[in-house]
Amino acid sequence: MKALLEGILRLFRPRAAVTASAETSAPPARQRPRLYIECTHTELSDANSGIQRVVRNIIRMAPAVAARYGYDVVPVIVRKGKLIQADLTTVLADKQNHSSAAPPP
């Protein structure tokens, strides 16, 4: 997963970062390009398998990886047709897959 993120960021990193090391060429935080990760379905879903687990892992690892390449990561969700910043507490909550849970006594 980490290698996938690094590969994507290498493709899209600013031109200056291609020729210099990430530590010396990363722009200040307020000027960094942003990588938006859309996670509406993951936030709304009670499932904790497949794509939901992948999205949560990407959101957990992306900020550290992106910072090395001069990016900021912003998890977003769609509300009323607009992108808004996601509440990470809600998105990253490990939800139980209720279909496999034992019924209450």
Side-chain angles (χ1 to χ4, degrees):
M1 184 95 42
K2 184 177 174 183
L4 172 66
L5 286 169
E6 287 180 345
I8 291 169
L9 291 170
R10 265 188 248 131
L11 287 173
F12 296 104
R13 68 180 155 180
R15 195 59 140 158
V18 172
T19 57
S21 70
E23 292 79 22
T24 60
S25 63
R30 68 183 182 285
Q31 296 176 355
R32 291 182 187 171
R34 292 184 182 145
L35 175 65
Y36 294 94
I37 300 176
E38 199 282 324
C39 52
T40 305
H41 181 74
T42 301
E43 182 193 48
L44 298 175
S45 176
D46 282 339
N48 193 29
S49 62
I51 192 65
Q52 296 86 7
R53 204 168 35 228
V54 170
V55 170
R56 286 185 188 110
N57 284 329
I58 288 173
I59 291 171
R60 283 183 187 111
M61 292 189 311
V65 173
R68 288 199 314 251
Y69 292 93
Y71 282 82
D72 287 326
V73 173
V74 181
V76 294
I77 55 173
V78 177
R79 288 290 183 266
K80 297 181 182 179
K82 295 182 180 182
L83 288 177
I84 62 170
Q85 190 164 352
D87 175 10
L88 289 180
T89 306
T90 305
V91 175
L92 295 177
D94 287 327
K95 300 174 183 178
Q96 293 183 359
N97 185 344
H98 297 292
S99 63
S100 64

